[in-house]
Structure formats: structure tokens, C-alpha cells
Amino acid sequence: MAKREIEYVLGTEQAELERLGLQHQLWTEHTARGWERAGFQRGMRLMDVGCGPGFATVDLAERVGHRGKVVAIDISRRFLAHLQAQATARGLHNIVTALGSVEQLPISQRGFHGAYARWVLCFVRKPEAVVAGVHRRLRKGGVFLIHDYFRYDGITVAPQSEIFQRVFHAVNDSWRMRGGDPDIGCRLPALLLHAGFEVRDIRPIVRLARPGSTLWNWPDSFFNIYLPTLVKMRLIRPRDERAFRNAWAEWSRNPAAFFTTPPMVEIVAVKR
């Protein structure tokens, strides 16, 4: 009997796969800058912690080259299968997948040069377990690069709207109900220090998008998938979903509209 697929908060179906692909494209520039600051380069052995369908994994594998290696860890069989198919199609032989929870990293290897986690620690119940597990598997001087939210409800939309605030508060509540922390970035420096890392660099990342820009499609694709979930969780009502969709359609036609992304933090931590 096949094991049940462990679902993400937003699922692992085709619509979410496509959304994550768009998301990776939209954040590739910021991601690559972080990798550069972390010193990820040819020949390194890296972990992609909570890799999802592996869009970042593939880029990391190309970055470290055939002499390097990327171990991609995730709880979703479906996402790891997608990654394996992409690696085969691209002729990448330096990617290894590991099925399991990032809170109990399912790998025995140690001595990695670095690890990367993007929008992962905000969803887990025990981020301190992830941080400690990564620390144990890095070599001395190894780098843990993290991109995650530090004030998720700091997202802003203009013109301002009560329905937007109501729905976004519901998103926050839904993450916390599942054991996550949408403001995890505020806690990460202390967790890293406690685990034995030196926090070398911390910097904020906030972007602004206007209607018609590609970045505008990022929240658009998110809400298309997640609004029905919020209704099922009874965090908003069906009429709230309809009101939000109508308001978003108006913002999308308004040349004066804009939104700023949820504030993120980039942290570069080094194992002492």
C-alpha cells in the first residue's frame, strides 16, 4: 500500500508546483546574491533544507558543478520526484534526494560546506531542531544561509483596504494554527547563536510591485490557491473570499495601486 503524501500548507498539486516555479523565478536574483554572500561555489557539498520541488536545488547543483554535490531534503515524495525528473532531464548527476522531515534531517553525512533554507523555518513546529541538525552536519566554518519572513503581516497594499487586512490576518492565523511562525526571522539570530553559529550578516529584503509587473502575479497566484483553504478552516467566510477577489481585481486595474512584499530577512551564519 502506497504511503500517503505529506502535504504542504498549500499542497503539492500542479497549481502549487507552477506557483513555486514562478516564485523561484521572481526571487532568483535575490537568492543568487545571498549564495554569493554565503560563498557557495564550485566543488562544494551543500544541503537544500526543505527543497520543495527543487527549483533552487537545480540552480545550486549547477553552481557547485560536477565536482560538488547538493543533498535535497523534503517531506514530499511528489516534489522530490519532480526534482529527480528535472535533474535527469538536465543531465545533473550531483543531486541526491532525501525524504524526511527537516526537523529530523534524514541524512547521516557530515562535513557539508553549507546549507540553504528558504521559506522553510516559518512552517515548522521546531525550528530550533532544524538549526541544530544543520549545525551538526556542517564542517567548522560551514555556512547556513536563510531567507525567511520576520514580519509577515507587514505586507502593504495600496489603496489600503479592510478586506485585505482581514484576509492577511487569517493567513497569519492559519500558519500559527499549523504550528508555524510567520515572524520566525525575529527569533532566528538567537536560535543560531544558541546552536553554536556566529551570525555574520543580517539584512532585510522588501520589494514593491505595481499592477502589470511580473511580481504582481506572486500574491495573485498565492491567493488563488489559498483563499479556499482559509474558508475551509473557517478563518474567513465565503463572502470575504468574494470581496477579496473583487478588491484584488480592482487593484489590478488601478495604475495608482502597489503592494510591498512581506518583510524578509537574509541571515548568513557560520559554524564556529
Side-chain angles (χ1 to χ4, degrees):
M1 184 177 179
K3 291 185 179 180
R4 178 177 174 271
E5 169 73 1
I6 299 176
E7 293 289 344
Y8 273 38
V9 172
L10 275 75
T12 58
E13 300 299 336
Q14 184 62 31
E16 174 61 3
L17 186 66
E18 293 176 1
R19 188 192 74 82
L20 290 172
L22 170 66
Q23 176 174 268
H24 178 66
Q25 290 179 23
L26 291 170
W27 290 92
T28 293
E29 181 179 349
H30 289 78
T31 301
R33 288 176 182 169
W35 292 346
E36 192 69 22
R37 282 188 281 269
F40 294 167
Q41 56 186 281
R42 309 294 280 184
M44 284 189 165
R45 295 173 61 240
L46 305 176
M47 291 180 287
D48 189 356
V49 181
C51 65
F55 295 109
T57 308
V58 168
D59 288 352
L60 280 172
E62 292 176 340
R63 188 179 189 90
V64 301
H66 71 278
R67 294 182 182 275
K69 178 181 177 181
V70 181
V71 176
I73 304 154
D74 204 82
I75 60 170
S76 169
R77 292 178 183 273
R78 188 176 296 138
F79 278 171
L80 290 182
H82 177 271
L83 170 55
Q84 289 167 338
Q86 290 299 307
T88 299
R90 292 170 180 254
L92 295 171
H93 305 292
N94 58 347
I95 294 174
V96 176
T97 59
L99 177 68
S101 167
V102 296
E103 294 170 90
Q104 302 170 344
L105 293 176
I107 56 174
S108 59
Q109 306 100 303
R110 301 194 180 222
F112 285 89
H113 296 92
Y116 180 55
R118 177 174 65 180
W119 299 312
V120 174
L121 296 170
C122 60
F123 289 115
V124 300
R125 293 180 180 274
K126 297 180 179 179
E128 65 278 5
V130 183
V131 172
V134 169
H135 185 272
R136 285 193 296 272
R137 287 160 179 82
L138 290 178
R139 63 174 55 190
K140 185 176 181 180
V143 178
F144 190 11
L145 174 68
I146 302 170
H147 286 138
D148 222 317
Y149 299 114
F150 71 88
R151 188 172 179 270
Y152 189 66
D153 65 0
I155 187 172
T156 299
V157 66
Q160 292 185 333
S161 167
E162 188 275 333
I163 188 60
F164 184 88
Q165 294 301 322
R166 188 186 316 164
V167 168
F168 220 73
H169 285 316
V171 173
N172 267 269
D173 291 343
S174 73
W175 287 16
R176 295 187 188 281
M177 286 170 61
R178 294 172 182 262
D181 181 358
D183 301 328
I184 185 63
C186 295
R187 298 166 50 201
L188 284 176
L191 293 180
L192 289 160
L193 290 169
H194 180 74
F197 284 98
E198 172 192 348
V199 178
R200 192 174 73 193
D201 190 35
I202 307 175
R203 63 184 66 200
I205 303 174
V206 179
R207 299 173 65 188
L208 183 144
R210 299 181 64 189
S213 67
T214 307
L215 186 57
W216 188 268
N217 295 318
W218 187 43
D220 184 63
S221 62
F222 170 80
F223 285 117
N224 275 334
I225 293 174
Y226 206 52
L227 284 171
T229 299
L230 293 176
V231 173
K232 288 179 183 178
M233 294 178 72
R234 299 181 182 275
L235 291 171
I236 62 172
R237 294 165 292 186
R239 67 184 184 188
D240 294 324
E241 179 182 358
R242 292 192 296 271
F244 182 90
R245 292 188 185 278
N246 290 335
W248 188 260
E250 291 182 10
W251 282 317
S252 299
R253 295 189 296 267
N254 184 351
F258 68 86
F259 79 84
T260 59
T261 57
M264 289 171 52
V265 64
E266 175 185 286
I267 301 178
V268 179
V270 180
K271 180 173 179 176
R272 295 195 291 261

